[in-house]
Amino acid sequence: MENVTEGTWDSLPHKLNDKIRQTLRELQFTHMTPVQSATIPLFMNNKDIAAEAITGSGKTLAFVIPLLEILLKREEKLKKYQVGAIIITPTRELAVQIYEVLSCFTKHFPQFSQILLIGGSNPIEDVNKLKEQGGHIIVASPGRLEDMFRRQADGLDLVNSVKTLDVLILDEADRLLDMGFEASLNTILGYLPKQRRTGLFSATQTQELENLVRAGLRNPVRITVKEKGVAATNTQKTPMRLENYYMICKTDEKFNYLVSFLRQRKQEKHLVFFSTCACVEYYGKALETFIKNVKVMSIHGKMKHKRNRIFTEFRKLDSGILACTDVMARGIDIPEVNWVIQYDPPSSASAFVHRCGRTARIGHHGSALVFLLPMEESYVNFLSINQKCPLQEMSDIKNSVDVLPKLKAMAASDRAVFDKGMKAFVSFIQAYAKHECNLIFRIKDIDFAALARGFALLKMPRMPELRGKEFPEFVPTPIDTDSIRYKDKHREKQRQKMLQERSEKQETTVKKNYIKNKPWSKQKSKKEKKKKLALKRKNEEGSDIDDKDVDELLRDTRLLKRLKKGKITEEEFEKQFTAGGKQSELGSEDSD
């Protein structure tokens, strides 16, 4: 099913519940998007759905509305601990977003309880919530939901609760598989009843996704939804109202361009994507310093407890900057994002499209910009062919200011900034080396000296990729970087304590080695020691002769050799041989 047009809610074959209509009016959703027009009637008619639609097309309402309609039409009301619907989504942020949309509707239906099960919180708290209030509708990330199924020892019987399940939704299903949740999904599906409605929503179709469709859906209706006005031969995957730009800039000028670009658009809302968590940490802090009177926030996958708060806070802002990784690339709906800036191109072409899709959502206009190095310019043609994603070049940013000297000064005055810069540089190179499109993004083509200048490094780090290379075009800052202190006094105190302990340990080791190695003249080589031990073992194991007998035998052997070589006469041999025997007898008498 393709090229479905928009429609009104009144055009649905099934009349919507009055309270659902009221909520749609409150949210100012007067018309259905194509994906909603295509899927809602089928879902409400008890069909399994496998829907593919571009990002930002309104998929959340496409499953929330039929889910509620199905639960409302149940013959038997759900009891407190029974589960009627489960929505599984790949990230915490997307789960929070869906939970909030769902809450707008369920406030009119107090008979339905809902619960959010995501990582970043204590699982015991989730167990207690389920035991206290139940959850007729569960919105969850796969890892936490799988964990809840295995909590029988904590008194939770979710396995029995889901026997009443009517609806299962897998949102951003392709991303669920990309992130390695296939095993968790298979485990979860094993607990769920076969008699259910299943909706699978994704922005792209993959072979792994096809396998999941066959495993989890019964005779699904397959839907591919395109925007109104898109030609049948066109498979463009980005929104029609998106203006997509690229800019070619040198490695050591890229951050200056970013700062200048953001300074000129302070009243707008920006998502800035970086390739790694360490780059977000470093450049996010730098942007806080260089972009005045603007709220700058950072979010990435390694954050545990702060992610939900930061995401919720940024969504409410009218303007601001969010430095982020691809944890924010899929399904996230942040209101009124004006620009998506890709400081680093993503590791895959599909991720490029999903990043762009954070703006120009559900009929709104938006813009996206990716920074490319001169050696990466062929990426533009690649995107146009591979992703049907055309880009237009943006001219150089006017009035660009060099902020890198200030960033270097920050690193020289605060070890926290220095550490972040070094980690960001290393992580960037490691990520670049693993780029999916390695014919364009080739690690051997990188100018490491220019890259280090672009990161405002004080010195080159030690890492395998740089081993054996020289960088005459990079001039290290003439300061002892070990002397750079943390501005945070507590952290610096800990560092000094650690350095003192390390110094004392090294000193103790040196003293031990000194005592062990003195005097030099008495040292034996390992080889000599081994030979001596081996001879001793052989004597002990293979002979009854004691040490004194062995010494006498050796002495006699030496005398005989000297006689044969003519070094002593027969008379001298007899004399020494006899003297040795007498000495031996005396020794034996003494020992007795």
Side-chain angles (χ1 to χ4, degrees), residues 193-227:
K194 304 297 181 188
Q195 296 294 324
R196 64 170 192 267
R197 294 279 64 76
T198 302
L200 188 149
F201 293 80
S202 67
T204 55
Q205 291 289 340
T206 64
Q207 183 57 51
E208 292 80 9
L209 195 59
E210 182 62 28
N211 295 339
L212 185 61
V213 169
R214 286 199 292 268
L217 283 70
R218 294 179 306 159
N219 300 318
V221 178
R222 297 171 185 272
I223 301 171
T224 300
V225 180
K226 298 174 184 175
E227 289 192 348

Side-chain angles (χ1 to χ4, degrees), residues 19 43 146 168 244 257 276 325 344 383 424 463 518 572:
K19 291 179 180 178
F43 222 145
E146 182 186 15
L168 170 67
N244 230 331
Y257 280 141
T276 70
T325 57
D344 301 321
L383 288 171
M463 59 185 299
K518 285 288 186 177
E572 287 173 327

Side-chain angles (χ1 to χ4, degrees), residues 373-390:
L373 305 181
M375 66 184 190
E376 299 168 347
E377 190 169 0
S378 56
Y379 191 54
V380 175
N381 289 332
F382 173 80
L383 288 171
S384 179
I385 297 167
N386 183 271
Q387 294 292 314
K388 301 295 185 290
C389 179

Side-chain angles (χ1 to χ4, degrees), residues 421-475:
M422 296 290 272
K423 289 177 183 176
F425 179 88
V426 170
S427 70
F428 173 83
I429 291 176
Q430 291 172 340
Y432 201 93
K434 297 174 184 175
H435 202 287
E436 183 184 90
C437 190
N438 53 22
L439 291 176
I440 297 172
F441 300 91
R442 298 188 297 182
I443 191 74
K444 66 178 184 179
D445 292 340
I446 287 184
D447 182 344
F448 291 109
L451 184 67
R453 293 197 300 271
F455 273 80
L457 297 190
L458 304 183
K459 68 173 187 178
M460 297 293 280
R462 284 182 292 182
M463 59 185 299
E465 288 82 356
L466 307 185
R467 190 176 295 135
K469 293 182 172 66
E470 295 183 358
F471 307 100
E473 295 181 4
F474 176 79
V475 182

Side-chain angles (χ1 to χ4, degrees), residues 240-370:
M240 291 298 292
R241 294 175 179 86
L242 173 68
E243 294 183 339
N244 230 331
Y245 299 94
Y246 71 95
M247 179 183 290
I248 304 297
C249 54
K250 294 179 181 178
T251 314
D252 50 0
E253 293 177 351
K254 193 159 69 163
F255 187 64
N256 291 331
Y257 280 141
L258 175 65
V259 171
S260 299
F261 182 90
L262 294 172
R263 280 177 175 176
Q264 293 168 20
R265 294 168 175 79
K266 288 187 178 182
Q267 302 306 314
E268 297 178 325
K269 202 167 183 178
H270 308 273
L271 290 183
V272 185
F273 283 94
F274 295 91
S275 59
T276 70
C277 300
C279 287
V280 168
E281 288 281 335
Y282 179 54
Y283 284 121
K285 288 294 180 185
L287 290 174
E288 285 183 34
T289 302
F290 296 126
I291 314 293
K292 302 294 183 183
N293 304 317
V294 175
K295 183 71 172 178
V296 179
M297 307 176 78
S298 298
I299 193 169
H300 57 73
K302 290 184 179 178
M303 289 179 172
K304 297 300 180 185
H305 306 294
K306 295 190 293 183
R307 268 173 59 182
N308 296 342
R309 176 184 59 77
I310 292 168
F311 172 67
T312 303
E313 185 179 344
F314 187 75
R315 286 190 75 204
K316 295 175 181 176
L317 294 178
D318 294 324
S319 62
I321 300 165
L322 181 65
C324 56
T325 57
D326 281 337
V327 74
M328 298 295 291
R330 294 290 293 264
I332 302 301
D333 184 24
I334 298 176
E336 304 302 325
V337 171
N338 302 99
W339 281 90
V340 168
I341 302 167
Q342 304 194 49
Y343 188 79
D344 301 321
S347 59
S348 69
S350 61
F352 182 95
V353 171
H354 291 299
R355 285 178 173 185
C356 295
R358 296 317 97 212
T359 186
R361 296 180 67 80
I362 315 179
H364 293 95
H365 289 273
S367 304
L369 169 65
V370 59

Side-chain angles (χ1 to χ4, degrees), residues 123-136:
I124 297 300
E125 292 177 6
D126 289 339
V127 170
N128 292 334
K129 281 182 187 177
L130 279 167
K131 287 165 68 176
E132 289 169 13
Q133 67 188 43
H136 296 136

